Amino acid sequence: MTTPEPNARPGSAAGPGQLLHLIRSGEVRTRRELQARTGLSRSTVAARVDQLLREGLIREGGVDANLRGRPSTALVFDETRGAVLAADLGATHARAAVCDLGGRILAEHAQGFDIRQGPEASLAWLEATWRQLASSAGEPRILGVGLGVPGPVDFTSGRPENPPIMPGWHGYPVRDELVRRFGVPAFVENDANVMALGEFHAGFSGVPSFLFVKVSTGIGAGMVVGGELLRGADGGSGDIGHIRLGHPETGPVCACGARGCLAASASGGALVRRLCEAGLDATTTRDAVELARGGEPQAVALVREAGLLIGDVLATAVSLLNPRVLVVGGELVRAQDHFMSSLRERLYQRTQPLATRNLRILPSALGTRAGVIGAARLGIEELFSPEAVDRALAG
Amino acid sequence: MTTPEPNARPGSAAGPGQLLHLIRSGEVRTRRELQARTGLSRSTVAARVDQLLREGLIREGGVDANLRGRPSTALVFDETRGAVLAADLGATHARAAVCDLGGRILAEHAQGFDIRQGPEASLAWLEATWRQLASSAGEPRILGVGLGVPGPVDFTSGRPENPPIMPGWHGYPVRDELVRRFGVPAFVENDANVMALGEFHAGFSGVPSFLFVKVSTGIGAGMVVGGELLRGADGGSGDIGHIRLGHPETGPVCACGARGCLAASASGGALVRRLCEAGLDATTTRDAVELARGGEPQAVALVREAGLLIGDVLATAVSLLNPRVLVVGGELVRAQDHFMSSLRERLYQRTQPLATRNLRILPSALGTRAGVIGAARLGIEELFSPEAVDRALAG
């Protein structure tokens, strides 16, 4: 590794890792722009770009037409030089994929799934599924693994932390087990966090403060500030489903065992239970949403009520965090206006106009793929972080 | 060292600025520890330490006794080589100080103050006060200015953004005006944010996720994650006082003009209003708190009710952010058990045990000085950020 600059240490702000980051994000396209952006000399930029080219991390992508004066060769991150294994495990559904290094799905598989079968069986199923997907994607070079699970995760150790709906998973070394099975770096996160990451990179990567909320069988949130997930002290950030809006003794029973949680009234799981109690035919959150879409009055009323309750909690979240964009994902968004309009109504009602003046509230763009694309994105961002790249090039 | 400029470019992860940061925080004390911590070579560390010594940023502080083997010379940040001007402007009260570079107060002054007199009169008063304080502190070399104001601030421009209780301040270039008056870098922030920074550095600087809430005449919150303030998209983060818990048409009128805000029921301002309506003698939040401390039943009931309402909002904040420490500051904390016990009661009732398992809830350690010490800390942290130091040493 050529290091003409004394500051070119692992993770240095203008090391090759940072140059790659700028190229990969699309913020800069030429050597000249890299110079302008980093303040590095022409020769240093040239040497580092050569190193990135030599390592195959970037390639020259033709002449950049946007520049005035002498045309420059555009530099592009080579998204095809490898792939990541990605999966989104839900309570009752799983989606696995092989994605290129731009987060595009090369092959995917989704099916019903029971998280309660525990980590060994789940990871065995995942391994088999991923191996099959890698085969049908033409056996790309697998560089890493990203996984989302429906509960709190200590990101550093990659172990679930007392997840209420994942019996048997508490403290299980999911990350280490993935590393052992695939021999590449692996990253494990809470599902709402990976969905937040997926949605953020799907069109909002310049946004300084971004909030995502997922309303499916369970409810969770993820926050991306300055491009980074906010993880909280115990990996429990975004766990808004178990805020107790209702009475702790007489409120409805939640999947976590407590009473009065937001999720006990406003989640897809709660909708299903209440529709069944009313004699309607609903087994999954999707069934409940379909009933609302079809105009079934009780389903519509319940979906609207869920939107109001979630709007209440989001009023506080938005006042606290002052995000620029709030994306709402999960199954309930598919109930469209019934859900989103009541959520917006309550959110605007409960916040002062200044808090929402510049706020965009949008339904998920990625839909049911937010989790798996976010899991891929988690893997990619960790694998190609400036620190990781500088370490790899130095080592 | 040339005076660091605001808006410094990103520095290198192991440049001299980063070494100074490690020494300043007390995390490392010797050249040997700097080597171990940064991975830099012995000669590079030696050269950078020499540069910091030459610039007078650090000094050698005797032999470090904690190490085994050959004794090493301890390196310490020289907190006496300059000072910052700091002030906390409230709605009705102001505190100004000159602080050393460790955030210790060298001279201070506090008095009743009316923020509604507008920026020109306020800054003229501040300048006169600071010049007097600097004189009584022995005319230390002033390196920067830190200021907290009771409203949202766009940190980059240093201008208040539609502050509800600061007529005449919207868009006023407070930061530029301070730079013009004192010829040094200046930093302006929301008061709850500077208080959060002050409390964070007063004993929690290792905490990954830290939440502060201030309950005085108004209500606000500040969050410090990974050592950095969370500022939000428009400088409006932490503005929880105007979440509408009450009815938007029939709820009590708030100082912001709207109805039903948290602050309209749970702030010191609301307490004063309601005590007056009940025929009791209270003009300021301090009067209301004194009545509660004296056991006046209506005052106690109102303070307890405020604790419950704030506990409600904090339940959502804690579930969302998963902080390790929550510090509660502002006047109402002085009503001690009446306020804190109801706040805790509601917070625990409304969150699941996992969310609060590792959470410490503490009253402010800095009391009425939290704002001014935090303002000093804002100035110090910005002046000596790794980026600012590297830029200054390079320039």
Side-chain angles (χ1 to χ4, degrees):
Chain A
M1 175 179 177
T2 331
T3 53
E5 293 274 309
N7 288 347
R9 294 294 313 171
S12 114
Q18 182 62 21
L19 300 198
L20 179 64
H21 180 79
L22 291 168
I23 295 166
R24 201 162 62 80
S25 67
E27 288 175 67
V28 301
R29 293 168 49 90
T30 65
R31 290 172 178 82
R32 217 180 292 172
E33 286 169 5
L34 282 172
Q35 263 177 262
R37 179 66 175 262
T38 61
L40 292 174
S41 70
R42 188 164 154 180
S43 61
T44 304
V45 165
R48 292 190 186 162
V49 164
D50 283 349
Q51 184 180 17
L52 294 172
L53 285 165
R54 227 167 30 239
E55 298 286 343
L57 286 161
I58 58 173
R59 54 187 174 74
E60 298 194 315
V63 170
D64 191 286
N66 290 328
L67 281 178
R68 291 174 205 165
R70 198 160 59 86
S72 301
T73 308
L75 303 168
V76 288
F77 175 59
D78 190 352
E79 295 175 346
T80 65
R81 71 185 289 272
V84 291
L85 305 175
D88 172 28
L89 299 183
T92 60
H93 202 81
R95 185 177 292 264
V98 175
C99 294
D100 75 10
L101 302 182
R104 269 173 299 275
I105 292 174
L106 303 174
E108 71 173 325
H109 174 77
Q111 69 171 61
F113 175 84
D114 188 356
I115 196 81
R116 292 170 303 179
Q117 69 190 283
E120 274 94 4
S122 298
L123 294 184
W125 172 80
L126 257 181
E127 179 171 355
T129 306
W130 272 330
R131 295 211 183 273
Q132 220 157 11
L133 290 170
S135 161
S136 68
E139 299 290 356
R141 193 169 141 230
I142 300 300
L143 300 179
V145 182
L147 177 64
V149 299
V153 175
D154 177 66
F155 180 70
T156 312
S157 68
R159 296 167 188 243
E161 279 280 318
N162 295 290
I165 60 165
M166 297 170 66
W169 290 76
H170 169 61
Y172 186 86
V174 178
R175 175 192 174 131
D176 292 349
E177 186 57 22
L178 291 170
V179 171
R180 192 187 66 75
R181 285 175 188 255
F182 296 98
V184 292
F187 307 94
V188 187
E189 255 298 351
N190 167 263
D191 59 350
N193 277 355
V194 297
M195 291 169 87
L197 214 49
E199 299 281 354
F200 174 75
H201 283 280
F204 305 105
S205 54
V207 164
S209 181
F210 176 89
L211 176 61
F212 171 81
V213 63
K214 168 205 135 179
V215 189
S216 286
T217 306
I219 299 172
M223 296 157 282
V224 184
V225 174
E228 302 280 332
L229 273 176
L230 283 193
R231 291 198 159 99
D234 308 298
S237 69
D239 202 6
I240 61 171
H242 305 284
I243 298 167
R244 302 232 178 87
L245 296 181
H247 195 283
E249 277 158 31
T250 59
V253 176
C254 182
C256 75
R259 282 176 181 273
C261 296
L262 173 65
S265 296
S267 68
L271 262 59
V272 168
R273 182 178 46 71
R274 291 172 71 178
L275 288 170
C276 290
E277 284 168 10
L280 287 158
D281 184 26
T283 311
T284 64
T285 301
R286 194 162 296 183
D287 299 340
V289 168
E290 286 307 323
L291 285 171
R293 283 165 72 98
E296 204 296 315
Q298 291 196 63
V300 168
L302 287 171
V303 161
R304 280 196 55 80
E305 191 192 322
L308 294 175
L309 290 169
I310 290 161
D312 256 345
V313 166
L314 290 179
T316 297
V318 161
S319 299
L320 191 68
L321 295 171
N322 182 213
R324 177 69 36 88
V325 174
L326 163 60
V327 168
V328 186
E331 292 282 348
L332 261 69
V333 169
R334 294 180 53 252
Q336 280 288 4
D337 280 356
H338 301 310
F339 180 67
M340 287 298 280
S341 67
S342 61
L343 183 153
R344 281 173 203 266
E345 172 190 326
R346 184 58 64 84
L347 174 53
Y348 288 129
Q349 194 182 76
R350 292 277 159 107
T351 49
Q352 61 166 345
L354 284 177
T356 50
R357 186 179 38 145
N358 296 326
L359 175 69
R360 292 168 65 197
I361 305 175
L362 301 163
S364 159
L366 301 178
T368 54
R369 290 190 171 87
V372 77
I373 290 175
R377 189 47 79 175
L378 173 72
I380 296 163
E381 294 304 313
E382 294 291 336
L383 286 169
F384 295 99
S385 73
E387 297 75 23
V389 168
D390 284 357
R391 253 197 322 270
L393 292 179
Chain B
M1 176 184 172
T2 34
T3 309
E5 278 179 50
N7 295 330
R9 277 176 314 186
S12 116
Q18 183 60 23
L19 301 197
L20 179 65
H21 181 78
L22 291 168
I23 294 166
R24 203 162 62 80
S25 68
E27 287 176 67
V28 302
R29 293 168 50 89
T30 66
R31 289 171 178 82
R32 217 179 293 171
E33 287 170 5
L34 282 172
Q35 266 176 260
R37 179 64 175 263
T38 61
L40 291 175
S41 70
R42 189 163 152 179
S43 60
T44 305
V45 165
R48 291 191 187 162
V49 164
D50 283 349
Q51 185 180 17
L52 293 172
L53 284 165
R54 228 169 27 240
E55 297 287 343
L57 285 162
I58 57 172
R59 54 188 172 74
E60 299 195 314
V63 170
D64 191 285
N66 291 326
L67 280 178
R68 292 172 204 163
R70 199 159 60 84
S72 301
T73 308
L75 303 168
V76 288
F77 175 60
D78 190 351
E79 295 175 346
T80 65
R81 71 182 291 273
V84 291
L85 305 175
D88 172 29
L89 298 183
T92 61
H93 201 82
R95 184 178 293 263
V98 175
C99 294
D100 75 11
L101 303 181
R104 267 174 300 274
I105 292 174
L106 302 174
E108 71 172 327
H109 173 77
Q111 68 172 61
F113 175 84
D114 187 357
I115 196 81
R116 293 171 300 179
Q117 68 190 284
E120 274 95 6
S122 298
L123 294 184
W125 172 80
L126 256 182
E127 178 172 354
T129 306
W130 271 330
R131 297 215 182 269
Q132 221 158 10
L133 289 170
S135 161
S136 68
E139 299 290 358
R141 191 166 144 235
I142 301 301
L143 300 179
V145 183
L147 177 63
V149 298
V153 175
D154 177 67
F155 179 70
T156 311
S157 68
R159 294 167 189 245
E161 278 281 318
N162 294 291
I165 61 163
M166 297 171 67
W169 290 76
H170 169 62
Y172 187 86
V174 179
R175 173 193 174 134
D176 292 348
E177 186 56 23
L178 291 170
V179 170
R180 192 188 66 76
R181 284 175 188 256
F182 296 98
V184 292
F187 307 95
V188 186
E189 255 296 353
N190 168 263
D191 59 351
N193 277 355
V194 297
M195 291 170 86
L197 215 49
E199 300 281 354
F200 174 76
H201 283 281
F204 306 105
S205 55
V207 164
S209 181
F210 176 89
L211 177 61
F212 171 80
V213 62
K214 167 204 138 181
V215 189
S216 286
T217 305
I219 299 173
M223 296 156 281
V224 184
V225 174
E228 301 281 333
L229 273 176
L230 284 193
R231 291 199 160 98
D234 308 298
S237 69
D239 202 6
I240 61 172
H242 305 284
I243 298 167
R244 302 233 177 86
L245 296 181
H247 195 283
E249 276 157 32
T250 59
V253 177
C254 182
C256 76
R259 282 175 181 273
C261 297
L262 174 65
S265 295
S267 67
L271 263 58
V272 168
R273 184 179 45 74
R274 291 172 72 178
L275 289 170
C276 289
E277 284 168 12
L280 286 158
D281 184 26
T283 312
T284 65
T285 301
R286 194 162 296 182
D287 299 340
V289 168
E290 286 307 321
L291 285 171
R293 283 166 72 97
E296 205 295 315
Q298 291 197 61
V300 168
L302 286 172
V303 161
R304 280 196 55 80
E305 191 192 321
L308 294 175
L309 290 169
I310 290 163
D312 256 344
V313 167
L314 290 180
T316 297
V318 161
S319 299
L320 191 68
L321 295 170
N322 182 214
R324 177 68 37 87
V325 173
L326 164 61
V327 168
V328 185
E331 293 281 348
L332 261 69
V333 170
R334 295 179 53 251
Q336 279 289 4
D337 279 357
H338 301 309
F339 180 66
M340 288 297 282
S341 67
S342 60
L343 182 153
R344 281 173 204 267
E345 172 190 326
R346 184 56 66 83
L347 174 53
Y348 288 129
Q349 195 183 76
R350 291 278 159 107
T351 49
Q352 62 167 342
L354 284 176
T356 49
R357 185 178 41 144
N358 297 326
L359 176 68
R360 292 167 65 199
I361 306 175
L362 300 163
S364 159
L366 301 178
T368 52
R369 289 190 172 86
V372 77
I373 290 175
R377 188 49 80 177
L378 173 72
I380 296 163
E381 295 304 313
E382 294 291 335
L383 285 170
F384 295 100
S385 72
E387 298 76 20
V389 169
D390 283 356
R391 187 184 163 90
L393 292 179

